Amino acid sequence: MIWPAPLDMAFMRHAFAAGTCISIAGSVVGYFVVLRRQAFAAHALSNVGFAGAAGASLVGFDPMLGLFVFVLAAALLMAVAGEDIGHRDISVGMILMFSLGLGVLFVNLYSANANAAIGILFGSVLGISTGQLELTAGVSLLVVLLLAAMFRPLRFASLNPAAARASGVPVSLISTLFLLILAATAAISVPVIGALLSFAIFVGPAAAAQAWTGRLGTGIALTIVLALVETWGGLWFSYYVNVPATSCIASLSFMFYAASWLPAGRSWVLRRRNQPVGV
Amino acid sequence: MAEPVVIASGIAAGKGRDAVFSGLSFQIEAASFTALVGANGSGKTTLFETLLGLTALRQGSVDILGCEPAAARSEIAYVPQADRLIHDGGFIGREFVAAAYNGRRWGMTLRYRAAARAVDRALDLVDARDLAHHKLANLSGGQRQRLLVAQALVNQPKLIFMDEPLAQLDPGAQERIVALAARLRDTLGIAILCSTHDINPLVQTADRVLYLANGQGRVGPIEDVVTDETLSALYGVPMHVVREHGQVFVIPAQTAHCANPKITSLIDRLQRA
C-alpha cells in the first residue's frame, strides 16, 4: 500500500489514528464539559492520570492500568463531593492537589524513568503502540456509544437541572456517569496529547463551537470538525517543520478559541441569528 | 366543580429538624390557577418538592392524578426560577425547549419530525416562535420566562408548577406571563400552581390562593383568605389587609399604625367604608 508522505511510517499512521479517535470522543465529551462548566474537572482528571501512570510503573504494572484506576477513582470522588457549582471547584482542586502530590512521590521513588513522566505530562503522540491504539479506539467507541445512550437525560440535566430532576431524570446518576465517561476519555487522551494539554481536546474546540452556534447538533458536529482539523493539522505541520506535534495541536486549539472571540468573526457568523430583540 | 388533580391531606414536610409546614390540606382542580403565596422561607419550594416526590412527607398523604407524587412526574412540569439555570444562555430558544422533549427517556430522539412538531406546538402556545432562533443570553427576562414555560409544555403536562416566575420581571412582562398562564388553564385545562411573594400581579387571575406563613397554610378564594381575620390567625399577630385600586397589601397591624401615616389613613378609610 502506498501512503502519502506523512503516513509512510507506522508511527505516523498510529499517531493519526489515535488522534482521530480522541478527537471524536473528546469532542463529544468536551462539548458537554463546556456546557456543564466542568472544564476544571476535565483538566484535573487528566492530571490525576499522571499520578496513576507513575504509580503503576513504580509497582511494575502497565501504566495504562494505573491511569484508568486513578482517573475513575478520582471521578467517583468528585461525584461524591457533589454537584453544587459553588463548591465544586474546591473539591476538584483538592483531589487534583492530592494526586499530584502522590505523582511527585511516585516519580521520586522511580527515578530511573523520569522521561516516562515527561511523556505522560506532555504526551507522546509519535510513540503509540498497536496495543495502545486498539485500546484508544475501543474506549473512544464505547464513550461515544454511552453518550448516545444517555443523550436526552444528559442534555436536559445540563440545560435545566431543576426541571430535569422534577421530571424524573436521575440527575445525580447522570452526573456521576458523565464524570466516569470523562475520566475514561481523559485516560486514553493523556498518553496521546499529554495530561497538561488536555484542554486542547476537551475545551478548545467545544468552546469555539459554542460561541459560533447555539444549536446542539450543529455544535457537536462543529466541535468534531475543529478537533480533527487541529489534530491532523498539528501532526501534518510537525512532520514537515519538525516541531513537537502537541505544540502545534495546542496552538491550533488556542487559535480556534481566540478566533471565536473576534468581534468580526462573531458578527459575521451570528449577524442574522443573534441580534438582540425587543420585548 | 372540576375533578381534583392534587389532593393533599394533612401534609408536613421539611428537611431540617423542624417541619417547614404541617397540617396542610388542599385540593387543586383541573383547569384551575392557584397562587402559592408566602414570604421567603415560608415553604413554597419545599411544597413543590413534596408534590414532586423529591422531599419525603413527614405526615399526611399526597395523591396526584390517582398516583403517588413520584409516579405522577410524567404528568407534571416544573418551571424553576430563571436564575437557577447554570449555563450562560449560549443556546437558541428552540434548542432549549427541545431539551425537555422526552428528556427522562434514555437514548436519542430518532423521530425528528415528531420532536420538531412538539417543539413548534410548545413555542406557539407561549407565542414565542420569534424567539426560537435567538440565543437565551440575548433575550429579556420575560422572554426567557416564556421559553421556560414552553419547555414545560413540550411533554404535554396536566399540571404545571411555576416557581416565582414573576420575580425580577417588570410589570408589563409580569402581566404577559400571568395572561399566558391563564390561557393555558382556559384552553388546555392545565392546572397551575404558581408561587409568588407578591400576590398583586395574580389577584385578577388566580382562582384560589394557598397562603403559607408561620408553618401553616390557608386555602380558598383570595377574598376569603386574604382578610384581617384569616391572616391574623395564620401569622399569630394582628394583620391588616388594605385593598386599594384593585391591589392588596398585607401589613402587620402595629407597623401599619405606627410607621406610615398614609397607610394608617388608608386603613381608617377602609374600616369606615
Side-chain angles (χ1 to χ4, degrees):
Chain A
M1 178 148 188
I2 311 275
W3 296 93
L7 292 176
D8 55 2
M9 283 166 288
F11 75 88
M12 281 304 282
R13 289 200 292 276
H14 284 181
F16 270 94
T20 303
C21 290
I22 63 160
S23 292
I24 294 171
S27 291
V28 188
V29 176
Y31 190 85
F32 284 101
V33 166
V34 174
L35 186 60
R36 297 166 63 82
R37 296 282 173 273
Q38 289 187 305
F40 187 38
H43 177 74
L45 284 171
S46 305
N47 285 281
V48 167
F50 159 69
S57 304
L58 180 65
V59 293
F61 285 120
D62 183 352
M64 281 311 286
L65 179 68
L67 241 162
F68 269 100
V69 169
F70 263 61
V71 291
L72 293 176
L76 281 177
L77 258 181
M78 286 177 192
V80 171
E83 256 300 285
D84 179 8
I85 195 157
H87 299 288
R88 164 168 99 176
D89 58 341
I90 293 177
S91 58
V92 169
M94 291 306 286
I95 292 166
L96 171 62
M97 180 278 293
F98 177 54
S99 70
L100 284 179
L102 283 178
V104 170
L105 173 69
F106 295 153
V107 171
N108 193 279
L109 292 174
Y110 192 64
S111 51
N113 205 351
N115 277 342
I118 298 290
I120 290 164
L121 283 175
F122 294 100
S124 48
V125 67
L126 300 181
I128 292 164
S129 67
T130 310
Q132 201 178 349
L133 178 58
E134 283 166 4
L135 180 71
T136 304
V139 173
S140 297
L141 184 65
L142 185 67
V143 160
V144 172
L145 290 177
L146 283 173
L147 285 172
M150 60 190 273
F151 180 77
R152 284 190 291 204
L154 177 63
R155 173 177 67 167
F156 196 9
S158 302
L159 286 184
N160 193 344
R165 182 165 163 261
S167 81
V169 173
V171 172
S172 306
L173 174 67
I174 293 286
S175 292
T176 306
L177 287 176
F178 181 71
L179 275 170
L180 288 172
I181 290 171
L182 170 59
T185 319
I188 54 167
S189 304
V190 163
V192 179
I193 187 76
L196 292 177
L197 296 174
S198 60
F199 256 47
I201 294 293
F202 289 128
V203 177
Q210 283 182 24
W212 270 322
T213 173
R215 289 166 187 278
L216 206 100
T218 317
I220 292 175
L222 181 58
T223 307
I224 294 174
V225 169
L226 291 178
L228 286 174
V229 168
E230 174 187 310
T231 315
W232 291 344
L235 285 169
W236 181 84
F237 191 77
S238 77
Y239 177 82
Y240 285 105
V241 185
N242 197 25
V243 289
T246 39
S247 305
C248 299
I249 294 172
S251 304
L252 279 172
S253 185
F254 184 78
M255 276 166 53
F256 287 145
Y257 178 69
S260 77
W261 287 103
L262 288 178
R266 285 171 75 79
S267 62
W268 173 68
V269 176
L270 303 173
R271 189 170 39 206
R272 202 165 56 83
R273 296 286 192 200
N274 207 21
Q275 289 154 339
V277 289
V279 180
Chain B
M1 190 180 303
E3 55 179 309
V5 180
V6 178
I7 304 170
S9 320
I11 60 170
K15 284 175 192 153
R17 200 169 57 86
D18 300 313
V20 179
F21 54 77
S22 55
L24 191 59
S25 297
F26 62 92
Q27 292 195 3
I28 296 175
E29 278 90 40
S32 70
F33 188 131
T34 307
L36 174 57
V37 183
N40 282 342
S42 60
K44 290 173 293 182
T45 303
T46 304
L47 180 60
F48 281 138
E49 295 204 334
T50 309
L51 296 179
L52 289 162
L54 296 169
T55 293
L57 279 171
R58 293 184 166 205
Q59 282 164 32
S61 67
V62 174
D63 180 297
I64 298 182
L65 295 159
C67 307
E68 294 272 300
R73 277 182 198 148
S74 59
E75 308 288 350
I76 309 172
Y78 173 66
V79 181
Q81 290 185 44
D83 56 9
R84 285 182 68 188
L85 306 177
I86 54 168
H87 67 87
D88 64 352
F91 277 86
I92 59 170
R94 191 178 176 82
E95 204 67 70
F96 182 74
V97 172
Y101 180 70
N102 283 339
R104 78 188 154 267
R105 295 204 196 144
W106 297 92
M108 301 176 70
T109 300
L110 298 175
R111 293 163 61 211
Y112 289 106
R113 291 251 179 86
R117 269 200 304 275
V119 173
D120 286 341
R121 175 184 168 277
L123 286 168
D124 285 340
L125 283 170
V126 305
D127 193 18
R129 275 281 183 119
D130 57 328
L131 307 179
H133 296 291
H134 292 282
K135 287 195 174 188
L136 257 60
N138 296 342
L139 300 179
S140 69
Q143 291 170 329
R144 237 174 279 173
Q145 195 64 49
R146 266 153 65 203
L147 287 173
L148 274 164
V149 175
Q151 195 191 50
L153 288 167
V154 83
N155 293 319
Q156 311 206 5
K158 295 198 172 79
L159 181 60
I160 296 185
F161 297 153
M162 302 172 86
D163 199 350
E164 294 276 359
L166 308 178
Q168 294 158 25
L169 295 187
D170 59 64
Q174 289 187 345
E175 208 171 286
R176 193 158 182 186
I177 294 294
V178 174
L180 164 61
R183 206 163 68 229
L184 298 176
R185 169 195 64 186
D186 298 337
T187 58
L188 299 176
I190 294 174
I192 290 166
L193 179 62
C194 174
S195 74
T196 179
H197 56 270
D198 176 16
I199 193 172
N200 279 308
L202 302 177
V203 165
Q204 305 297 326
T205 310
D207 306 305
R208 282 145 58 85
V209 62
L210 172 47
Y211 205 113
L212 288 179
N214 215 9
Q216 306 163 59
R218 292 286 185 280
V219 194
I222 291 176
E223 56 270 25
D224 294 354
V225 173
V226 186
T227 61
D228 288 9
E229 297 73 38
T230 311
L231 293 189
S232 297
L234 188 56
Y235 279 100
V237 290
M239 299 296 286
H240 263 307
V241 176
V242 185
R243 287 167 205 272
E244 189 78 355
H245 297 298
Q247 302 274 291
V248 181
F249 301 94
V250 177
I251 323 155
Q254 292 297 318
T255 321
H257 284 296
C258 305
N260 194 330
K262 202 173 166 190
I263 292 173
T264 312
S265 76
L266 268 177
I267 293 167
D268 287 345
R269 256 163 57 201
L270 192 83
Q271 283 168 342
R272 278 200 303 274

Coordinates of all heavy atoms in Angstrom, one line a residue, chain A residues 15-93:
Chain A
A15 N -0.2 7.7 15.0 CA -0.5 9.0 15.6 C -1.8 9.6 15.0 O -2.6 10.1 15.7 CB 0.7 9.9 15.3
F16 N -1.9 9.5 13.7 CA -3.2 10.0 13.0 C -4.4 9.2 13.5 O -5.4 9.8 13.8 CB -3.0 9.9 11.5 CG -2.5 11.1 10.9 CD1 -1.1 11.2 10.6 CD2 -3.3 12.2 10.6 CE1 -0.5 12.4 10.1 CE2 -2.7 13.4 10.1 CZ -1.4 13.5 9.8
A17 N -4.3 7.9 13.6 CA -5.4 7.1 14.0 C -5.8 7.4 15.4 O -7.0 7.6 15.8 CB -5.1 5.6 13.8
A18 N -4.8 7.4 16.4 CA -5.2 7.7 17.8 C -5.7 9.1 17.9 O -6.6 9.4 18.7 CB -3.9 7.5 18.6
G19 N -5.1 10.1 17.2 CA -5.5 11.4 17.2 C -7.0 11.6 16.8 O -7.7 12.3 17.3
T20 N -7.3 10.8 15.7 CA -8.7 10.8 15.2 C -9.6 10.3 16.3 O -10.7 10.9 16.5 CB -8.8 10.0 13.9 OG1 -7.8 10.5 13.0 CG2 -10.2 10.1 13.3
C21 N -9.3 9.2 16.9 CA -10.2 8.6 17.9 C -10.4 9.6 19.1 O -11.5 9.9 19.5 CB -9.5 7.3 18.5 SG -9.5 6.0 17.3
I22 N -9.3 10.2 19.6 CA -9.5 11.0 20.8 C -10.1 12.4 20.4 O -10.8 13.0 21.2 CB -8.2 11.2 21.6 CG1 -7.2 12.0 20.8 CG2 -7.7 10.0 22.3 CD1 -6.2 12.6 21.7
S23 N -9.9 12.8 19.1 CA -10.6 14.0 18.7 C -12.1 13.8 18.7 O -12.9 14.7 19.1 CB -10.2 14.4 17.2 OG -8.8 14.7 17.3
I24 N -12.6 12.6 18.1 CA -14.0 12.4 18.1 C -14.6 12.2 19.5 O -15.5 12.9 19.9 CB -14.3 11.2 17.1 CG1 -13.9 11.6 15.7 CG2 -15.8 10.9 17.2 CD1 -13.9 10.4 14.7
A25 N -14.1 11.3 20.2 CA -14.6 11.0 21.6 C -14.4 12.2 22.4 O -15.4 12.6 23.1 CB -13.9 9.8 22.2
G26 N -13.3 12.9 22.4 CA -13.0 14.0 23.2 C -13.9 15.2 22.9 O -14.2 16.0 23.7
S27 N -14.3 15.3 21.6 CA -15.2 16.4 21.2 C -16.6 16.3 21.8 O -17.2 17.2 22.3 CB -15.3 16.5 19.7 OG -14.1 16.9 19.1
V28 N -17.1 15.0 21.6 CA -18.5 14.8 22.1 C -18.5 15.0 23.7 O -19.4 15.7 24.2 CB -19.0 13.4 21.7 CG1 -20.4 13.3 22.1 CG2 -18.8 13.2 20.3
V29 N -17.5 14.4 24.3 CA -17.4 14.6 25.8 C -17.2 16.1 26.1 O -17.8 16.7 27.0 CB -16.3 13.8 26.4 CG1 -16.1 14.1 27.9 CG2 -16.5 12.3 26.2
G30 N -16.2 16.7 25.4 CA -15.8 18.1 25.6 C -17.0 19.1 25.4 O -17.1 20.1 26.2
Y31 N -17.8 18.8 24.5 CA -19.0 19.7 24.3 C -19.8 19.8 25.5 O -20.2 20.9 26.0 CB -19.8 19.1 23.1 CG -20.9 20.1 22.7 CD1 -20.6 21.1 21.8 CD2 -22.2 20.1 23.2 CE1 -21.5 22.0 21.4 CE2 -23.1 21.0 22.9 CZ -22.8 22.0 21.9 OH -23.7 22.9 21.6
F32 N -20.0 18.6 26.2 CA -20.8 18.6 27.4 C -20.0 19.2 28.6 O -20.5 19.8 29.5 CB -21.4 17.2 27.7 CG -22.6 16.9 26.8 CD1 -22.4 16.1 25.7 CD2 -23.8 17.4 27.1 CE1 -23.5 15.8 24.9 CE2 -24.9 17.2 26.3 CZ -24.7 16.3 25.2
V33 N -18.7 19.0 28.5 CA -17.8 19.5 29.6 C -18.0 21.1 29.6 O -18.2 21.7 30.7 CB -16.3 19.1 29.3 CG1 -15.4 20.0 30.2 CG2 -16.1 17.7 29.6
V34 N -17.9 21.7 28.4 CA -18.0 23.1 28.4 C -19.4 23.6 28.8 O -19.6 24.5 29.5 CB -17.6 23.6 27.0 CG1 -17.9 25.1 26.8 CG2 -16.2 23.3 26.7
L35 N -20.4 22.8 28.3 CA -21.8 23.1 28.6 C -22.1 23.1 30.1 O -22.8 23.9 30.6 CB -22.7 22.1 27.8 CG -24.2 22.3 27.9 CD1 -24.5 23.7 27.3 CD2 -24.9 21.2 27.1
R36 N -21.5 22.1 30.7 CA -21.8 21.8 32.2 C -20.8 22.6 33.0 O -20.8 22.4 34.3 CB -21.7 20.3 32.4 CG -22.8 19.6 31.7 CD -22.6 18.1 31.8 NE -22.6 17.5 33.1 CZ -23.7 17.2 33.8 NH1 -24.8 17.3 33.2 NH2 -23.6 16.7 35.0
R37 N -19.9 23.4 32.5 CA -18.9 24.1 33.2 C -18.0 23.2 34.1 O -17.8 23.4 35.2 CB -19.6 25.1 34.2 CG -20.4 26.2 33.5 CD -19.4 27.3 32.9 NE -20.1 28.2 32.1 CZ -20.3 28.1 30.8 NH1 -19.9 27.0 30.2 NH2 -20.9 29.0 30.1
Q38 N -17.6 22.1 33.4 CA -16.7 21.2 34.1 C -15.3 21.1 33.6 O -14.6 20.1 33.7 CB -17.4 19.8 34.1 CG -18.6 19.7 35.0 CD -19.2 18.3 35.1 OE1 -19.5 17.7 34.2 NE2 -19.3 17.9 36.4
A39 N -14.9 22.3 33.0 CA -13.5 22.3 32.4 C -12.5 22.0 33.4 O -11.5 21.3 33.1 CB -13.3 23.7 31.8
F40 N -12.6 22.5 34.6 CA -11.6 22.2 35.7 C -11.6 20.8 36.0 O -10.5 20.2 36.2 CB -11.9 23.1 36.9 CG -10.9 23.0 38.0 CD1 -9.5 23.0 37.6 CD2 -11.2 23.0 39.3 CE1 -8.5 23.0 38.6 CE2 -10.2 23.0 40.3 CZ -8.9 22.9 39.9
A41 N -12.7 20.1 36.0 CA -12.7 18.7 36.3 C -12.0 17.9 35.2 O -11.3 17.0 35.5 CB -14.2 18.2 36.4
A42 N -12.2 18.3 33.9 CA -11.5 17.7 32.8 C -10.0 17.8 33.0 O -9.2 16.9 32.8 CB -12.0 18.3 31.5
H43 N -9.6 19.0 33.3 CA -8.1 19.3 33.5 C -7.6 18.4 34.6 O -6.5 17.8 34.5 CB -7.9 20.8 33.8 CG -6.5 21.1 34.0 ND1 -5.5 21.2 33.1 CD2 -5.9 21.4 35.2 CE1 -4.4 21.5 33.6 NE2 -4.6 21.7 34.9
A44 N -8.3 18.4 35.8 CA -7.9 17.7 37.0 C -7.8 16.2 36.7 O -6.8 15.6 37.1 CB -8.8 18.0 38.1
L45 N -8.8 15.7 36.0 CA -8.8 14.2 35.8 C -7.6 13.8 34.9 O -7.0 12.8 35.2 CB -10.1 13.8 35.1 CG -11.3 13.7 36.1 CD1 -12.6 13.5 35.3 CD2 -11.1 12.6 37.1
S46 N -7.3 14.6 33.9 CA -6.1 14.3 33.1 C -4.9 14.3 33.9 O -4.0 13.4 33.8 CB -6.0 15.3 32.0 OG -7.2 15.4 31.3
N47 N -4.7 15.2 34.9 CA -3.5 15.3 35.7 C -3.5 14.2 36.7 O -2.4 13.7 37.1 CB -3.4 16.6 36.3 CG -2.9 17.7 35.3 OD1 -1.8 17.7 35.0 ND2 -3.9 18.4 34.8
V48 N -4.7 13.8 37.2 CA -4.7 12.6 38.1 C -4.2 11.4 37.4 O -3.5 10.6 38.0 CB -6.2 12.4 38.6 CG1 -6.3 11.0 39.2 CG2 -6.7 13.5 39.5
G49 N -4.4 11.3 36.1 CA -3.9 10.2 35.3 C -2.4 10.1 35.4 O -1.8 9.0 35.4
F50 N -1.7 11.2 35.5 CA -0.2 11.3 35.6 C 0.2 10.5 36.9 O 1.1 9.6 36.8 CB 0.2 12.7 35.7 CG 1.6 12.9 36.3 CD1 2.7 12.5 35.6 CD2 1.7 13.6 37.5 CE1 4.0 12.7 36.2 CE2 2.9 13.8 38.1 CZ 4.1 13.3 37.4
A51 N -0.5 10.7 38.0 CA -0.1 10.0 39.2 C -0.4 8.5 39.1 O 0.4 7.7 39.5 CB -0.9 10.6 40.4
G52 N -1.5 8.2 38.4 CA -1.8 6.8 38.2 C -0.8 6.0 37.4 O -0.3 4.9 37.8
A53 N -0.4 6.7 36.3 CA 0.6 6.0 35.4 C 2.0 5.9 36.1 O 2.6 4.9 36.0 CB 0.8 6.9 34.1
A54 N 2.4 6.9 36.9 CA 3.6 6.9 37.6 C 3.6 5.8 38.7 O 4.6 5.1 38.9 CB 3.9 8.3 38.2
G55 N 2.5 5.7 39.4 CA 2.3 4.7 40.4 C 2.4 3.3 39.9 O 3.0 2.4 40.5
A56 N 1.7 3.1 38.7 CA 1.7 1.7 38.1 C 3.1 1.3 37.7 O 3.5 0.2 37.9 CB 0.7 1.7 37.0
S57 N 3.8 2.3 37.1 CA 5.2 2.0 36.7 C 6.1 1.6 37.9 O 6.9 0.7 37.8 CB 5.8 3.2 36.0 OG 5.1 3.7 35.0
L58 N 5.8 2.3 39.0 CA 6.6 2.0 40.2 C 6.5 0.6 40.7 O 7.4 -0.1 41.0 CB 6.2 3.0 41.3 CG 6.9 2.9 42.6 CD1 8.3 3.3 42.5 CD2 6.2 3.8 43.7
V59 N 5.2 0.1 40.7 CA 5.0 -1.3 41.2 C 5.0 -2.3 40.1 O 4.7 -3.5 40.3 CB 3.6 -1.4 42.0 CG1 3.7 -0.6 43.2 CG2 2.5 -0.9 41.1
G60 N 5.4 -1.9 38.8 CA 5.6 -2.9 37.8 C 4.4 -3.3 37.0 O 4.4 -4.3 36.3
F61 N 3.3 -2.5 37.1 CA 2.1 -2.7 36.3 C 2.1 -1.9 35.0 O 2.9 -0.9 34.9 CB 0.8 -2.4 37.0 CG 0.5 -3.4 38.1 CD1 0.4 -3.1 39.4 CD2 0.2 -4.8 37.7 CE1 0.1 -4.0 40.4 CE2 -0.1 -5.7 38.7 CZ -0.2 -5.3 40.0
D62 N 1.2 -2.2 34.1 CA 1.1 -1.4 32.9 C 0.6 0.0 33.3 O -0.4 0.2 34.0 CB 0.0 -2.0 32.0 CG -0.2 -1.3 30.7 OD1 0.4 -0.2 30.5 OD2 -0.9 -1.8 29.8
P63 N 1.3 1.1 32.8 CA 0.9 2.5 33.2 C -0.5 2.8 32.8 O -1.2 3.5 33.5 CB 1.9 3.3 32.4 CG 3.0 2.5 32.0 CD 2.5 1.1 32.0
M64 N -1.0 2.2 31.7 CA -2.4 2.5 31.3 C -3.4 2.0 32.4 O -4.4 2.6 32.6 CB -2.8 1.8 30.0 CG -2.2 2.5 28.8 SD -2.6 4.2 28.7 CE -4.4 4.2 28.3
L65 N -3.1 0.8 33.0 CA -3.9 0.3 34.1 C -4.0 1.3 35.2 O -5.1 1.6 35.7 CB -3.4 -1.1 34.5 CG -4.2 -1.7 35.7 CD1 -5.6 -2.2 35.1 CD2 -3.4 -2.9 36.2
G66 N -2.8 1.8 35.6 CA -2.8 2.8 36.7 C -3.5 4.0 36.4 O -4.3 4.6 37.2
L67 N -3.4 4.5 35.1 CA -4.1 5.6 34.6 C -5.6 5.5 34.8 O -6.3 6.3 35.4 CB -3.8 5.8 33.1 CG -3.1 7.0 32.7 CD1 -2.5 6.8 31.3 CD2 -4.1 8.2 32.6
F68 N -6.1 4.3 34.3 CA -7.6 4.1 34.4 C -8.1 4.0 35.8 O -9.1 4.6 36.2 CB -8.0 2.8 33.6 CG -8.3 3.1 32.2 CD1 -7.4 2.9 31.2 CD2 -9.5 3.6 31.8 CE1 -7.7 3.1 29.9 CE2 -9.8 3.9 30.5 CZ -8.9 3.6 29.5
V69 N -7.3 3.3 36.7 CA -7.7 3.1 38.1 C -7.8 4.5 38.7 O -8.8 4.8 39.4 CB -6.8 2.2 38.8 CG1 -7.0 2.2 40.3 CG2 -6.9 0.8 38.3
F70 N -6.8 5.3 38.6 CA -6.7 6.6 39.2 C -7.8 7.6 38.7 O -8.5 8.2 39.5 CB -5.3 7.2 39.1 CG -4.4 7.0 40.3 CD1 -4.1 5.7 40.6 CD2 -3.9 8.0 41.0 CE1 -3.3 5.4 41.7 CE2 -3.1 7.8 42.1 CZ -2.8 6.5 42.5
V71 N -8.0 7.7 37.4 CA -8.9 8.7 36.9 C -10.4 8.2 37.3 O -11.2 9.1 37.6 CB -8.8 8.9 35.4 CG1 -7.5 9.6 35.1 CG2 -9.0 7.7 34.6
L72 N -10.7 6.9 37.2 CA -12.0 6.5 37.5 C -12.3 6.7 39.0 O -13.4 7.2 39.4 CB -12.3 5.1 37.1 CG -12.3 4.8 35.6 CD1 -12.4 3.3 35.3 CD2 -13.4 5.6 34.9
A73 N -11.3 6.4 39.9 CA -11.5 6.6 41.3 C -11.7 8.1 41.6 O -12.5 8.5 42.4 CB -10.3 6.1 42.1
A74 N -10.9 8.9 40.9 CA -11.0 10.4 41.2 C -12.3 10.9 40.7 O -13.0 11.8 41.3 CB -9.9 11.1 40.4
A75 N -12.8 10.4 39.6 CA -14.2 10.8 39.1 C -15.2 10.4 40.1 O -16.2 11.2 40.4 CB -14.5 10.1 37.7
L76 N -15.1 9.2 40.7 CA -16.1 8.8 41.7 C -16.0 9.7 42.9 O -17.1 10.2 43.5 CB -15.9 7.4 42.1 CG -16.5 6.3 41.1 CD1 -16.1 4.9 41.6 CD2 -18.0 6.5 41.0
L77 N -14.8 10.1 43.3 CA -14.6 11.0 44.5 C -15.3 12.4 44.2 O -16.0 12.9 45.0 CB -13.1 11.2 44.7 CG -12.5 10.5 45.9 CD1 -11.0 10.9 46.0 CD2 -13.2 10.8 47.2
M78 N -15.1 12.8 42.9 CA -15.7 14.1 42.6 C -17.2 14.1 42.6 O -17.9 15.0 43.0 CB -15.2 14.5 41.1 CG -13.8 15.0 41.1 SD -13.4 15.4 39.4 CE -11.6 15.6 39.5
A79 N -17.7 12.9 42.1 CA -19.2 12.7 42.2 C -19.7 12.7 43.6 O -20.7 13.4 43.9 CB -19.6 11.5 41.4
V80 N -19.0 12.1 44.5 CA -19.4 12.0 45.9 C -19.3 13.4 46.5 O -20.2 13.8 47.3 CB -18.5 11.0 46.7 CG1 -18.8 11.1 48.2 CG2 -18.8 9.6 46.2
A81 N -18.3 14.2 46.1 CA -18.1 15.5 46.7 C -19.2 16.5 46.3 O -19.4 17.5 46.9 CB -16.7 16.1 46.3
G82 N -19.9 16.2 45.2 CA -21.1 16.9 45.0 C -21.1 17.8 43.7 O -20.1 18.1 43.2
E83 N -22.3 18.2 43.4 CA -22.6 18.9 42.1 C -22.7 20.4 42.3 O -22.7 21.1 41.3 CB -23.9 18.4 41.5 CG -23.7 17.4 40.3 CD -22.9 18.0 39.2 OE1 -23.5 18.9 38.5 OE2 -21.7 17.7 39.0
D84 N -22.8 20.8 43.5 CA -23.0 22.2 43.8 C -21.9 23.1 43.1 O -20.8 23.0 43.5 CB -23.1 22.5 45.3 CG -23.3 23.9 45.6 OD1 -23.6 24.7 44.7 OD2 -23.2 24.3 46.8
I85 N -22.3 23.9 42.2 CA -21.3 24.6 41.3 C -20.5 25.5 42.2 O -19.4 25.8 41.9 CB -22.0 25.3 40.2 CG1 -21.0 25.7 39.1 CG2 -22.9 26.5 40.6 CD1 -21.6 25.9 37.7
G86 N -21.1 26.0 43.3 CA -20.4 27.0 44.1 C -19.2 26.4 44.8 O -18.2 27.1 45.2
H87 N -19.2 25.0 45.1 CA -18.2 24.4 45.9 C -17.4 23.4 45.1 O -16.4 22.9 45.6 CB -18.8 23.7 47.1 CG -19.5 24.7 48.0 ND1 -18.8 25.6 48.8 CD2 -20.8 24.9 48.2 CE1 -19.7 26.3 49.5 NE2 -20.9 25.9 49.1
R88 N -17.9 23.1 43.9 CA -17.3 22.0 43.1 C -15.8 22.3 42.8 O -15.0 21.3 42.8 CB -18.2 21.9 41.9 CG -17.8 21.1 40.8 CD -19.0 20.9 39.9 NE -19.0 21.9 38.8 CZ -19.9 21.9 37.9 NH1 -20.9 21.0 37.9 NH2 -19.9 22.8 36.9
D89 N -15.4 23.5 42.5 CA -14.0 23.7 42.1 C -13.1 23.5 43.3 O -11.9 23.1 43.1 CB -13.8 25.2 41.5 CG -14.3 26.2 42.5 OD1 -15.0 25.9 43.4 OD2 -13.8 27.4 42.3
I90 N -13.6 23.7 44.5 CA -12.7 23.4 45.6 C -12.4 21.9 45.8 O -11.3 21.5 45.9 CB -13.3 24.0 46.9 CG1 -13.3 25.6 46.8 CG2 -12.6 23.6 48.2 CD1 -14.0 26.3 47.9
S91 N -13.5 21.1 45.7 CA -13.3 19.7 45.9 C -12.4 19.1 44.7 O -11.5 18.3 45.0 CB -14.6 18.9 46.0 OG -15.4 19.2 44.9
V92 N -12.7 19.6 43.5 CA -11.9 19.1 42.4 C -10.4 19.5 42.6 O -9.5 18.7 42.4 CB -12.5 19.7 41.1 CG1 -11.5 19.5 39.9 CG2 -13.8 19.1 40.7
G93 N -10.2 20.7 43.0 CA -8.8 21.2 43.2 C -8.1 20.4 44.3 O -6.9 20.1 44.2

